[in-house]
Amino acid sequence: MYARMSGVMAASGQYIAFIDDDNWPTEKYLHIAETIFDSDTSVGVFGCATKLPSDRYIPEAIQRYASSFAIGHLPFESGLLDTGQCVWGAGMAVRASKLKSIFKSGFSPILVGRSQSTQLAGDDSEIVLAMVLSGCSVWYENTPLILHAVDPSRFNYKNVIKMNEGFGSSALFLQIYSICTKSTMINSSLIFFAFAPLILAKDFFALFKCFIATKSTSNIDLKLLKRFFYLKWFCYLSNPKMRMLQKINIAKAKAVLI
């Protein structure tokens, strides 16, 4: 993340695309992204659907976890997303001036490194939500404009479990960021206490639905979800320093005007 911040601050173009070595842009990617940014100055983030290259495939047993690898389509139509919704980091592009202003304000990403023994995930979503907090909108293109050439050796349950733990460890922090994008409140602690009962109720309902759905099938999904929710709450409640940094981040991002 800190190498990414240095790259952002050194960039000289209007727009920045985060293209990893396994993200292969199609011929239309740059043209469509630039067109969206140029046609609507409120758009600060651009994202798109992805697909595997034709010479690769996901094993059938892992296919239902394709979205964990940022492969496929998000559940949105092409267009501006509702406030608080995010795009994948694979092929994500941003308006450079806005992200630079956010970093210059002192916003310091927290979803990096480890929490206890778990590798955090969600750094891309944290950037998206920081952009939204500062007044930007997010555009999603439902056409696959990125070939996501994930190493086939990663398509196994061990990696699914590892990613699930990373997503869980970051989930409540991201949920608080998302709620703040739709609220005039900037105190994340107050938001947490106001929304925690509702969030917890929804989590228990999701577990109950998963339990019912898996009664006659494999319970791997239930195990993954239980671990996800455990880490979601444990990592948030056991990290007062991260909660304080998030409170500061929210105030700094909201102070950056369009």
Side-chain angles (χ1 to χ4, degrees), residues 104-243:
K104 286 178 181 178
S105 76
F107 183 99
S108 181
I110 60 173
L111 299 181
V112 295
R114 290 183 173 272
S115 173
Q116 308 297 330
S117 61
T118 303
Q119 182 70 40
L120 292 166
D123 53 332
D124 299 315
S125 295
E126 186 175 17
I127 286 179
V128 174
L129 292 170
M131 298 284 279
V132 177
L133 283 166
S134 70
C136 292
S137 55
V138 180
W139 182 280
Y140 172 69
E141 190 65 36
N142 202 31
T143 303
L145 299 175
I146 293 288
L147 297 180
H148 198 176
V150 178
D151 186 337
S153 67
R154 293 181 57 203
F155 294 138
N156 55 66
Y157 276 120
K158 182 179 179 180
N159 267 322
V160 169
I161 292 169
K162 181 178 178 181
M163 290 189 297
N164 179 71
E165 292 183 343
F167 297 147
S169 299
S170 304
L172 194 47
F173 288 101
L174 291 175
Q175 209 162 352
I176 297 298
Y177 273 129
S178 181
I179 292 171
C180 286
T181 64
K182 295 169 277 192
S183 172
T184 56
M185 297 172 62
I186 63 172
N187 189 318
S188 57
S189 297
L190 293 178
I191 285 179
F192 170 75
F193 286 113
F195 286 89
L198 178 61
I199 296 171
L200 193 58
K202 288 183 176 180
D203 288 352
F204 274 114
F205 182 64
L207 275 171
F208 176 73
K209 285 177 60 179
C210 186
F211 171 74
I212 296 299
T214 58
K215 282 184 71 174
S216 59
T217 60
S218 169
N219 64 353
I220 181 67
D221 289 342
L222 182 60
K223 289 181 179 178
L224 287 172
L225 196 59
K226 286 169 66 176
R227 182 66 174 166
F228 177 93
F229 285 138
Y230 167 76
L231 289 170
K232 172 181 177 177
W233 289 90
F234 174 78
C235 289
Y236 185 84
L237 295 174
S238 65
N239 281 286
K241 182 178 180 181
M242 286 179 64
R243 296 199 304 270

Side-chain angles (χ1 to χ4, degrees), residues 51-95:
K51 64 180 181 180
L52 279 173
S54 58
D55 63 340
R56 305 192 186 193
Y57 71 95
I58 304 177
E60 185 176 353
I62 304 295
Q63 284 181 2
R64 67 181 184 276
Y65 306 114
S67 61
S68 296
F69 296 91
I71 296 171
H73 299 259
L74 289 169
F76 314 123
E77 298 297 326
S78 293
L80 294 174
L81 297 187
D82 292 339
T83 301
Q85 294 178 330
C86 292
V87 294
W88 283 323
M92 182 176 76
V94 299
R95 193 175 295 275

Side-chain angles (χ1 to χ4, degrees), residues 13-20 23-39 46-49 91-94 139 141 143-147:
Q14 284 184 281
Y15 315 120
I16 299 171
F18 298 117
I19 306 294
D20 292 337
N23 298 163
W24 303 348
T26 63
E27 293 181 358
K28 296 181 179 180
Y29 171 80
L30 289 176
H31 172 71
I32 292 177
E34 184 177 29
T35 299
I36 296 300
F37 281 126
D38 288 347
S39 63
F46 172 88
C48 63
M92 182 176 76
V94 299
W139 182 280
E141 190 65 36
T143 303
L145 299 175
I146 293 288
L147 297 180

